[in-house]
Amino acid sequence: MTMDHHEAPVLEALAAYRDRDELGFSPPGHKQARGASPAVRAVLGDAVFFGDLLATGGLDDRQEKSSVLRRAEQLMADAVHAEHTFFSTCGSSLSVKAAMLSVAAPHQKLLVGRDAHKSVIAGLILSGIEPVWLDPQWDAERHLAHPPASETLERAFADHPDATGALVTSPTPYGTAADLRAMADVCHRRGKPLIVDEAWGAHLPFHPDLPSWAMDAGADVCVTSIHKMGSGLEQGSVFHLQGDLIDPDTLASRADLLGTTSPSVLLYAGIDGWRRQMALEGHGLLSQALDLVATVRRRIEEIEGMHVNGPDDFCGTGGAAEFDPLPVIIDISALDTTGYRAADWLRRHHHIDMHLVDHRRISAQFTHADDSDTAERLIAALLDLARNAHTLRPAPAVHVPAPAELRPDQTCLPRDAFFAETEDVPAAQAVGRVAAEMLTPYPPGIPAVLPGERITEPLLRYLRSGVAAGMNVPDPADPTLHTIRVRAEED
Ligand SMILES: Cc1ncc(COP(=O)(O)O)c(C=O)c1O
């Protein structure tokens, strides 16, 4: 059946709701903005409240007879070459858990890239799935990780033939992508599914010059955040399914277990509108974004003390199979300060917010929403940063571990450590103890330590020196890392 991508069922149903002058004696209690505080209406605008209504018994009737959501999901599936698509209003943080729970049950093994986002770790904790870690490809010189190699996946399946499937993150927030075709092959030779956390890849299906899209590469499920590289609202996420290794009803029931019973129609509308925009105009919009970012990359590279990471750094011997140029990763180590200081300076002096920030990098995420005006503002600010870098020295040193030091022993299931009896001990006494919490530099949100791992001195030194230098580690009980929550020792 050919689908008409001019349609946008959610947006059309929203407009029809207002045209009919529907009157709700149901949530949400603001009743089409009428009850919202004037001060809130002045800041948010009434459109936010007009679009905020019950999905069932508001946007659609109480039995969803118009299939508004289902039709929007089918259009999305068609646009991205999937067989089934599910919308979620709880971010990819929910979608990725739904995918994991469809592949492995408590105590079953799942092969997981150790560079997974903290939402994946939360999925392991909630489910009791046993992770078998896949080492990412560490770049020891630049101190970052690219997705695991397909050979790593092959070896892990050989060592753990009882693993139920695999989960990898691709692209990474640094824009590097795995060889998903090879990974899907490795999984499918064993009849096992491949889940791809493609939270950073919502735009990939819509332009051939971007890294391969997981559905085209043969993955079974992929998860994308529409608010990251797309133009949906924050928390809008979708997951896509194809093939017969995962039952669509199972996936839907796992998502139902985790999701809200009050999904935001605003988020659905944002997802639906993004699909229509991309299906009709995506190629042109992304071509413009790619042209713009090519120029931006060249111009930032010319700034004294800045180096823009590109495929020459990350692909080939670097380990990444493919590369997305839209996240512009800028190595500022030659400015002899940290990314934390540089980002704070840019916000304070130029009102510009960078994305990934670490001990030696800042990054600027470009999307189809950017244009020469936004690019010029960024470049002017970066030139000013380079001129003023001397004011940001000396920056505190961050003691970054070597790759071999980044893989502590997983002593027990993340769930068992998280729900065990715990104690908060001074950091110095935490070395050698089993972590009972996640310690996650954010962004990008990849836990340096997770429950069940035995804490090592280099890891703790890294995190504590990082926090002293401006790193944000929001998830532990004590974000200052003076104390660490560890598993209580048995008598
Ligand atoms: C790789 C990855 N997966 C999943 C998520 C969670 O996505 P969301 O913020 O949409 O819940 C993130 C968020 O940053 C991410 O980077």
Side-chain angles (χ1 to χ4, degrees):
M1 186 177 68
T2 337
M3 294 204 149
D4 181 358
H5 283 285
H6 292 86
E7 290 179 11
V10 177
L11 288 164
E12 286 151 17
L14 258 179
Y17 181 92
R18 283 201 63 75
D19 288 349
R20 285 194 308 269
D21 192 21
E22 228 35 70
L23 181 59
F25 288 92
S26 66
H30 61 71
K31 310 266 181 129
Q32 293 283 285
R34 294 187 300 277
S37 136
V40 176
R41 290 171 77 167
V43 174
L44 293 186
D46 282 351
V48 171
F49 293 100
F50 293 162
D52 185 45
L53 41 105
L54 279 186
T56 306
L59 184 75
D60 207 334
D61 68 18
R62 71 184 173 80
Q63 292 179 308
E64 299 184 286
K65 286 202 222 50
S66 304
S67 305
V68 174
L69 180 60
R70 195 162 57 83
R71 285 187 291 122
E73 289 176 333
Q74 284 168 346
L75 281 158
M76 177 67 93
D78 184 68
V80 305
H81 328 134
E83 287 167 19
H84 306 272
T85 287
F86 304 84
F87 288 5
S88 157
T89 61
C90 302
S92 293
S93 298
L94 176 142
S95 307
V96 80
K97 294 183 187 86
M100 295 164 71
L101 291 170
S102 313
V103 170
H107 295 287
Q108 287 186 333
K109 288 180 186 166
L110 184 67
L111 310 182
V112 184
R114 180 58 183 82
D115 56 336
H117 183 254
K118 60 180 275 132
S119 54
V120 172
I121 311 308
L124 296 171
I125 292 171
L126 291 170
S127 64
I129 292 171
E130 180 182 341
V132 174
W133 296 120
L134 302 169
D135 274 329
Q137 305 188 77
W138 299 108
D139 180 334
E141 188 192 327
R142 296 179 188 82
H143 291 115
L144 49 74
H146 303 307
S150 59
E151 294 77 17
T152 306
L153 184 62
E154 182 84 59
R155 271 196 306 276
F157 267 126
D159 292 345
H160 301 272
D162 52 341
T164 53
L167 186 161
V168 293
T169 304
S170 177
T172 66
Y174 299 96
T176 58
D179 184 348
L180 292 178
R181 268 193 188 81
M183 291 198 147
D185 276 356
V186 171
C187 288
H188 294 163
R189 266 189 270 117
R190 294 165 171 85
K192 306 284 170 78
L194 174 66
I195 303 168
V196 181
D197 180 349
E198 215 164 15
W200 291 101
H203 56 316
L204 302 186
F206 303 108
H207 202 285
D209 296 344
L210 290 166
S212 312
W213 166 240
M215 288 289 107
D216 295 339
D220 298 85
V221 185
C222 74
V223 166
T224 72
S225 293
I226 302 301
H227 60 96
K228 287 187 170 35
M229 294 303 290
S231 53
L233 298 168
E234 281 288 294
Q235 279 185 227
S237 169
V238 293
F239 43 109
H240 308 286
L241 170 66
Q242 65 181 355
D244 52 15
L245 293 176
I246 299 173
D247 169 37
D249 295 333
T250 302
L251 186 54
S253 78
R254 302 313 191 246
D256 181 56
L257 201 65
L258 300 164
T260 171
T261 49
S262 310
S264 166
V265 165
L266 282 169
L267 301 198
Y268 285 160
I271 297 171
D272 195 30
W274 148 260
R275 183 270 316 152
R276 177 168 67 182
Q277 183 184 25
M278 281 297 112
L280 300 179
E281 308 166 62
H283 187 276
L285 289 171
L286 289 167
S287 292
Q288 281 168 23
L290 288 167
D291 287 347
L292 177 69
V293 87
T295 310
V296 167
R297 287 175 157 272
R298 259 197 316 278
R299 294 200 31 213
I300 299 177
E301 184 68 34
E302 285 163 8
I303 299 176
E304 184 80 36
M306 297 195 187
H307 170 56
V308 179
N309 287 133
D312 288 350
D313 299 319
F314 290 163
C315 300
T317 51
E322 293 184 83
F323 179 74
D324 177 1
L326 291 173
V328 180
I329 312 292
I330 308 165
D331 191 327
I332 56 160
S333 38
L335 291 181
D336 202 15
T337 188
T338 58
Y340 312 120
R341 287 198 162 189
D344 291 348
W345 189 92
L346 286 167
R347 181 174 161 95
R348 195 163 55 248
H349 293 274
H350 287 270
H351 307 298
I352 282 185
D353 293 317
M354 303 305 280
H355 177 220
L356 296 181
V357 170
D358 68 18
H359 61 287
R360 63 185 281 178
R361 280 170 283 265
I362 50 179
S363 87
Q365 174 196 328
F366 273 71
T367 71
H368 66 287
D370 285 292
D371 57 21
S372 55
D373 288 349
T374 63
E376 288 306 330
R377 207 174 134 189
L378 173 70
I379 291 165
L382 292 175
L383 282 164
D384 201 24
L385 169 66
R387 277 192 295 270
N388 286 282
H390 63 278
T391 65
L392 306 177
R393 300 178 198 132
V398 181
H399 301 285
V400 186
E405 295 170 327
L406 283 163
R407 271 295 310 281
D409 281 350
Q410 183 79 46
T411 63
C412 61
L413 291 186
R415 178 168 72 174
D416 291 347
F418 188 84
F419 290 111
E421 219 174 292
T422 63
E423 56 181 319
D424 296 345
V425 298
Q429 292 168 30
V431 172
R433 300 289 298 271
V434 173
E437 61 182 357
M438 285 192 247
L439 303 172
T440 312
Y442 216 104
I446 302 165
V449 175
L450 53 85
E453 285 183 339
R454 195 174 294 288
I455 298 168
T456 62
E457 195 275 331
L459 276 170
L460 210 51
R461 200 153 67 105
Y462 161 57
L463 289 165
R464 285 179 42 89
S465 59
V467 167
M471 177 194 283
N472 185 31
V473 184
D475 47 9
D478 173 10
T480 67
L481 305 188
H482 286 109
T483 61
I484 310 286
R485 183 156 292 182
V486 295
R487 193 172 180 160
E489 277 177 339
E490 285 169 20
D491 295 332

